[in-house]
Amino acid sequence: MTTSTAAPPAPESASTARSSVRGSRTVTLIAMCLGAMITFLQITATVSALTTIQQDLKVDPTTLVWLPSAYTLMVASVVLSAATLGNRYGRRRMFGAGVIAMIVGAAVVAGAPTVAWVIVGQLVAGLGGALILPNSLAILGATFTDPHRRTEVITAWSAASGIGLAIGPLIAGTLLRHYPWHSVYLSTIVLGVITLVVAAIGVAESRPSAARLDVPGLLLGTVAIAAAVYAMIQGGKDGYTSPVVTAAWIVAVVALVGFVLVELRASAPMLDVRLFRSASFSAVMVVAAVSLFGFTGVSILLVLFHERAQALSPLDTGWRMLVLFGTYVVVAFGAGRVIRRTGFKTPLTLGLVLGAVASFALAAQGPTASFGHRWALFALFGAAGGLVVAPATAAALASVAPAQAGMASGAVNAARQVGSVVGSSLLGTLLTTTMLADLPDRLVAHHVDEPTRAVVQAAAATGATGDQPLPDSVRAALAEALTSGVQAGLRVNGIVFLVTAVLVLALVRNRPHQH
């Protein structure tokens, strides 16, 4: 079976020859890390500005979930196809196109007058993220061919995404203190321009195959993922058995079955589904999804907790989240060298268990808990993410031959982004539904009169509670109700992490496969 990335060596050799003339390993690593930073900076910029956007544009809580989810929906839907486009038309070219799309998408959001335009801009930026992620990983895989060195480089790439997560809330908080929320997206534009310049200076083109494009696989794969992710997000708003959501699930299943059948028969498939015969590769895909499920979902929960339940400013929230993201960056950078000595299984299992412990411990704390009692748990969850997110990506690429790096990078990024959108949408929806269900009892407990209770409950359902000063009793009830939603999401994440830890112990190959 010939795959789209397993072509005769001549094109890759030509690319390698060009690389020796025009490419630089150091500059290539810097450019790819900057690209990873952009994709996650967009996420944290949006999350940090959610409260301000909701108040300014009068966004109801269920629609609010779509603001970060629109971005990850597009990334998850297109990322597998983007890897194939890179293999066909050039990874550097598609990487550059992705950065440009990120810049355009951020510009649309920065000038958005309505929530609809915010979502449109997020979708355009998501297209850019989908082009950046698999092609940057594939470029690194083609540039650094030694298995151990490649593992270290990929963990550095994953750690760079953590830098984007870390600086996003700080930049957003600083800008929101002085300017409208639209200014938050200027950081994506500036970093995007810098990335384009660095990539133009020292990144060589990488095009391993000139095989024809697998158009049926590309279309069916995109439809399958898009329909499934849409059903997950919209199900939280309309109900998972509503006609529209049910139809989306049916489309997703039919497209998935069609995709598998087409890829099995294709002479040059977009994704060789036979890779999933490896229990280790399949398990790593699950781990990749779960890692971003927890990391993205919990980050959103904690940001909303600080800004809504504890009434902190975006900048104060950013400084607190820096403990989590900063620890993630440090641990992720060191994870590459740790893997060389321990293999994949130990850090992945340890990280998932520590993440579960941190989730359960954070869920046990109430709305008035001080950060002095919570910072160590933030650091623990950040360290857990560093032990899971980066090694999971490296483990996926280590499970396949170097010629299949583009295919594997597309698959692992698709899994990561599906996990991210499920985490943000599922945990965000769980927060909203739990909060609205718990709010009536909280209002009664704080002796709020019946007419006021009806007004507050209606306002909470439409997201209008932040527009006016509230009595202390109402504010306390809202904080407690929202905290109960955050706690529910954290407990679910803890359970998911523990189940996945068992899967790692049972199935994941401990060392890079020797090809």
Side-chain angles (χ1 to χ4, degrees):
M1 175 65 68
T2 302
T3 70
S4 59
T5 52
E12 188 71 60
S13 299
S15 177
T16 304
R18 289 193 299 271
S19 175
S20 64
V21 176
R22 297 196 298 115
S24 163
R25 285 192 169 193
T26 301
V27 176
T28 297
L29 178 58
I30 292 173
M32 298 307 104
C33 287
L34 288 174
M37 286 175 59
I38 297 174
T39 62
F40 284 86
L41 180 63
Q42 183 77 6
I43 294 173
T44 50
T46 302
V47 172
S48 300
L50 276 180
T51 299
T52 308
I53 294 174
Q54 182 179 29
Q55 293 173 0
D56 182 39
L57 301 181
K58 307 298 188 293
V59 185
D60 65 87
T62 49
T63 302
L64 191 69
V65 174
W66 271 104
L67 299 190
S69 296
Y71 173 81
T72 46
L73 167 64
M74 182 61 79
V75 176
S77 302
V78 183
V79 69
L80 193 59
S81 303
T84 301
L85 292 173
N87 291 342
R88 179 67 177 83
Y89 298 109
R91 294 163 177 168
R92 177 175 177 256
R93 180 179 298 169
M94 291 298 102
F95 175 84
V99 175
I100 293 173
M102 286 289 301
I103 294 172
V104 172
V108 171
V109 179
T114 65
V115 66
W117 278 104
V118 174
I119 293 175
V120 169
Q122 288 286 77
L123 290 171
V124 174
L127 176 62
L131 289 168
I132 289 171
L133 287 168
N135 288 298
S136 60
L137 256 185
I139 288 171
L140 291 177
T143 304
F144 300 88
T145 55
D146 175 73
H148 292 296
R149 179 60 177 154
R150 184 171 59 172
T151 295
E152 293 175 358
V153 166
I154 291 171
T155 52
W157 175 89
S158 296
S161 66
I163 297 176
L165 290 170
I167 64 176
L170 298 179
I171 294 174
T174 302
L175 291 172
L176 288 171
R177 177 168 287 186
H178 303 287
Y179 305 101
W181 61 264
H182 306 78
S183 63
V184 167
Y185 295 91
L186 297 178
S187 56
T188 299
I189 297 173
V190 172
L191 186 58
V193 172
I194 293 172
T195 304
L196 284 177
V197 173
V198 175
I201 291 173
V203 178
E205 184 56 278
S206 170
R207 184 185 298 158
S209 172
R212 66 179 178 82
L213 201 61
D214 177 19
V215 176
L218 187 151
L219 293 177
L220 287 169
T222 301
V223 170
I225 296 175
V229 172
Y230 174 84
M232 294 174 196
I233 299 172
Q234 197 64 20
K237 180 179 181 180
D238 297 338
Y240 289 99
T241 58
S242 68
V244 173
V245 174
T246 300
W249 282 121
I250 293 173
V251 170
V253 171
V254 171
L256 178 61
V257 172
F259 174 79
V260 172
L261 294 177
V262 166
E263 297 305 278
L264 285 173
R265 296 178 180 179
S267 60
M270 180 176 73
L271 174 65
D272 189 351
V273 294
R274 293 174 180 82
L275 288 174
F276 289 92
R277 290 176 177 174
S278 165
S280 179
F281 183 82
S282 299
V284 168
M285 293 299 105
V286 174
V287 174
V290 168
S291 67
L292 265 291
F293 170 93
F295 204 71
T296 303
V298 169
S299 297
I300 291 176
L301 292 179
L302 294 178
V303 167
L304 292 177
F305 171 80
H306 285 126
E307 293 186 0
R308 305 282 184 82
Q310 297 197 328
L312 296 177
S313 70
L315 183 57
D316 289 336
T317 299
W319 283 114
R320 284 160 174 76
M321 294 302 293
L322 184 61
V323 175
L324 190 158
F325 296 137
T327 306
Y328 166 83
V329 171
V330 173
V331 174
F333 266 120
R337 296 189 180 278
V338 171
I339 292 170
R340 178 175 289 193
R341 293 192 295 269
T342 67
F344 294 113
K345 188 168 293 190
T346 297
L348 289 176
T349 305
L350 179 62
L352 289 165
V353 172
L354 292 179
V357 170
S359 297
F360 289 130
L362 286 168
Q365 298 188 350
T368 59
S370 68
F371 189 64
H373 292 95
R374 297 167 63 87
W375 72 266
L377 296 176
F378 278 49
L380 182 63
F381 191 82
L387 290 170
V388 177
V389 177
T393 305
L397 268 68
S399 299
V400 301
Q404 295 174 309
M407 188 180 292
S409 68
V412 71
N413 272 297
R416 282 159 54 98
Q417 296 308 316
V418 168
S420 178
V421 74
V422 172
S424 60
S425 59
L426 179 62
L427 298 185
T429 300
L430 182 59
L431 182 153
T432 299
T433 54
T434 304
M435 180 191 76
L436 294 177
D438 195 51
L439 182 57
D441 291 339
R442 301 289 180 175
L443 291 169
V444 170
H446 284 276
H447 309 292
V448 178
D449 59 84
E450 197 280 330
T452 303
R453 292 203 302 270
V455 172
V456 171
Q457 289 170 223
T462 59
T465 56
D467 294 349
Q468 53 193 338
L470 299 172
D472 290 342
S473 57
V474 173
R475 185 179 295 108
L478 286 168
E480 291 173 5
L482 185 136
T483 301
S484 66
V486 172
Q487 291 170 335
L490 288 168
R491 293 189 189 101
V492 167
N493 184 70
I495 293 170
V496 171
F497 269 37
L498 286 180
V499 171
T500 309
V502 175
L503 185 69
V504 170
L505 285 173
L507 298 178
V508 171
R509 183 186 294 123
N510 196 43
R511 297 284 178 180
H513 185 61
Q514 297 300 316
H515 304 281

